[in-house]
Amino acid sequence: MKIGIDLRPMQGETRFRGIGKTEEFFMSALSRLPERSLHHFTFYVDADIPQPEITTLFPDSIVRTIKSPKLGRKRYFRSFLPSFSVAQPSPDDIDVFLQFDAALGVPRSVLTVVIFYDLIPLLFRDIEKKSSKNIRPFRRLKDGLARHMYWQKYLRFIHSFQKADHLLAISESSKKDLLRYLPSISASRVTVVPLGVDHSFFVSSGKPSDRVRELALKPYILYVGGIDTRKNVAELVKVLYALKPAHPELRLIVVGKEFSLEDQLADRGWYAELHNNEAYAKDVLSTGFVTHNDLLYLYRRAQCFVFPSLYEGFGLPILEAMAAGCPVVAYDTSSIPEVAGDACILVEQDNNLSAAAERVLNNNTLRQDLIQRGKEHAARFTWDKTAKMILEKVVEHGNKA
């Protein structure tokens, strides 16, 4: 079968986020599948950005470049102009097209299978509006205009899912949201395909950097991820401050390049919580972006992984923490229960996470049990399994051509 795959999510700003990493892990796993030899692949990449190295794993593939509008990538203009051109594969070239990011467009010239992640901007729009009330007037006006333009663009993005011949939702929770808010899409057009956790999280890591090794000398709780509103990151500071009296050496380490965005952190209430206790504030440490070896090192030595997110399309960091041997504390909401199973401590959303984290810190038997159950649970989610499921669905719909 002739299969086309849009690789641009691995080139743009999304390459370090969930969409780009999902496609990267899928492509790596796809290259290992024996069934791959039965198919011919055509990859679509952006002409103006370095191509993803993953294409070298498919020496017999065809690579087609797409020119994209440069103005749509500039700040503010991208809030209302297209940032990318839609791929237009020919039916003579491919039988079916796989799209990991519907924002890049869903072509109508061939059958399409599109990955669906979540409706986070829609579900959290009202909360985002409320959080903007504390912003300075000029910035509130500027951000409000940009938010309005992005919203119009997002509505167009949502409706692009209706163009897909079949959708692959990353969780049952995401599928329910999709069918609820886009009732024109029938349940028969949506299949749930859970994501996987990379094998490297289960094995020993390489040598960490000296900086990370030094950070890990004292006990710490860990968070890895972004800082958008639904991530609820100010809760992390509350958890640390609640634990400090009984655990004076304890620190909080947050990993993610977005923790350098001071204005956004202020909007999320991060600094307001931080300044509630200046003596404890010095024990909140941000690493920014870290290498894979550093990330594994931090996971393996953390007292526990605290995940205060209020909504996840899937919640991959939970599985990564489990695979690396780090006990997890999280909220019992959205897709998190189906991803976490019974291998972590789940807390009702209205409660504070500090009591659950305290249980892990004070009870080594519980901690070791969570580590063991977490590893066993995470092992059920592999990228090879995910890649096989996706390929089977792509082929199934390609046969309808």
Side-chain angles (χ1 to χ4, degrees):
M1 180 166 290
K2 295 178 291 184
I3 300 172
I5 304 178
D6 195 333
L7 295 187
R8 289 177 294 170
M10 296 169 58
Q11 292 181 276
E13 293 179 355
T14 57
R15 69 187 185 277
F16 297 121
R17 296 182 65 88
I19 294 176
K21 299 305 290 184
T22 293
E23 184 166 30
E24 178 186 336
F25 287 132
F26 163 78
M27 291 297 298
S28 180
L30 178 64
S31 72
R32 298 190 294 268
L33 293 181
E35 303 94 311
R36 110 174 200 185
S37 62
L38 302 175
H39 309 288
H40 302 282
F41 295 96
T42 298
F43 301 131
Y44 295 80
V45 300
D46 194 298
D48 300 321
I49 310 176
Q51 295 182 16
E53 296 179 2
I54 206 78
T55 57
T56 60
L57 298 177
F58 299 82
D60 299 327
S61 63
I62 297 171
V63 177
R64 299 196 181 279
T65 57
I66 301 173
K67 283 281 186 181
S68 295
K70 290 183 171 57
L71 188 60
R73 295 185 182 179
K74 295 186 181 296
R75 194 174 181 183
Y76 301 119
F77 287 101
R78 63 187 178 189
S79 66
F80 57 91
L81 291 178
S83 302
F84 296 91
S85 299
V86 181
Q88 298 295 345
S90 167
D92 295 330
D93 293 335
I94 65 171
D95 301 308
V96 60
F97 185 80
L98 176 61
Q99 178 60 275
F100 275 81
D101 187 357
L104 298 175
V106 179
R108 301 300 294 150
S109 54
V110 296
L111 292 171
T112 55
V113 176
V114 179
I115 310 297
F116 175 75
Y117 302 91
D118 55 61
L119 292 173
I120 288 169
L122 173 64
L123 298 174
F124 283 81
R125 190 184 184 212
D126 290 341
I127 296 178
E128 288 281 0
K129 283 183 177 180
K130 290 179 181 178
S131 67
S132 68
K133 292 181 179 180
N134 298 323
I135 300 175
R136 292 187 300 272
F138 176 72
R139 185 166 159 246
R140 183 165 64 244
L141 177 64
K142 182 179 67 173
D143 287 359
L145 178 60
R147 190 178 292 112
H148 173 75
M149 301 305 294
Y150 269 117
W151 178 248
Q152 299 305 313
K153 188 175 181 178
Y154 181 71
L155 289 177
R156 295 192 293 272
F157 159 73
I158 289 177
H159 289 293
S160 68
F161 288 107
Q162 296 172 329
K163 301 176 183 178
D165 293 287
H166 200 76
L167 292 154
L168 303 179
I170 60 175
S171 66
E172 290 288 351
S173 174
S174 282
K175 179 179 178 178
K176 289 177 182 177
D177 287 340
L178 175 65
L179 298 179
R180 177 184 175 188
Y181 288 98
L182 289 176
S184 61
I185 297 176
S186 64
S188 61
R189 287 174 57 195
V190 187
T191 301
V192 174
V193 178
L195 303 183
V197 58
D198 190 62
H199 177 70
S200 62
F201 285 93
F202 293 92
V203 298
S204 298
S205 60
K207 184 179 179 181
S209 65
D210 291 340
R211 178 181 67 122
V212 164
R213 189 192 298 272
E214 183 176 350
L215 285 177
L217 289 176
K218 291 184 178 181
Y220 60 93
I221 57 176
L222 179 68
Y223 170 78
V224 178
I227 66 168
D228 48 295
T229 300
R230 47 103 190 187
K231 291 292 188 179
N232 190 31
V233 291
E235 179 72 12
L236 294 165
V237 181
K238 293 180 183 179
V239 171
L240 176 69
Y241 285 10
L243 296 173
K244 284 291 284 184
H247 305 273
E249 292 292 302
L250 190 68
R251 301 195 287 188
L252 165 65
I253 296 179
V254 293
V255 178
K257 65 178 184 178
E258 292 182 2
F259 280 92
S260 64
L261 304 175
E262 295 185 358
D263 283 345
Q264 292 189 30
L265 281 174
D267 296 345
R268 311 294 183 253
W270 177 261
Y271 295 111
E273 292 297 337
L274 203 63
H275 296 319
N276 279 337
N277 191 317
E278 297 294 341
Y280 292 163
K282 63 180 174 54
D283 290 320
V284 178
L285 309 172
S286 173
T287 67
F289 176 79
V290 298
T291 66
H292 190 63
N293 284 341
D294 281 351
L295 178 61
L296 289 175
Y297 192 86
L298 288 170
Y299 269 135
R300 293 206 169 96
R301 282 155 183 79
Q303 296 299 304
C304 69
F305 180 69
V306 179
F307 199 60
S309 177
L310 303 176
Y311 182 95
E312 291 293 319
F314 186 76
L316 192 54
I318 291 174
L319 284 183
E320 292 177 349
M322 288 180 176
C326 182
V328 176
V329 172
Y331 280 125
D332 183 3
T333 183
S334 61
S335 66
I336 293 175
E338 61 184 283
V339 173
D342 64 351
C344 81
I345 299 180
L346 295 179
V347 178
E348 291 185 3
Q349 186 173 316
D350 293 335
N351 296 328
N352 190 277
L353 294 173
S354 57
E358 183 84 62
R359 290 176 57 198
V360 178
L361 268 60
N362 290 341
N363 189 333
N364 190 55
T365 300
L366 171 63
R367 185 172 184 275
Q368 294 304 317
D369 179 58
L370 289 171
I371 290 173
Q372 183 61 35
R373 282 192 284 150
K375 287 183 177 180
E376 293 172 356
H377 181 74
R380 302 172 190 169
F381 296 81
T382 70
W383 278 110
D384 285 358
K385 185 186 297 185
T386 300
K388 184 178 177 65
M389 293 175 69
I390 292 177
L391 181 60
E392 287 175 352
K393 281 297 174 182
V394 168
V395 170
E396 177 186 326
H397 288 277
N399 281 329
K400 297 177 181 178

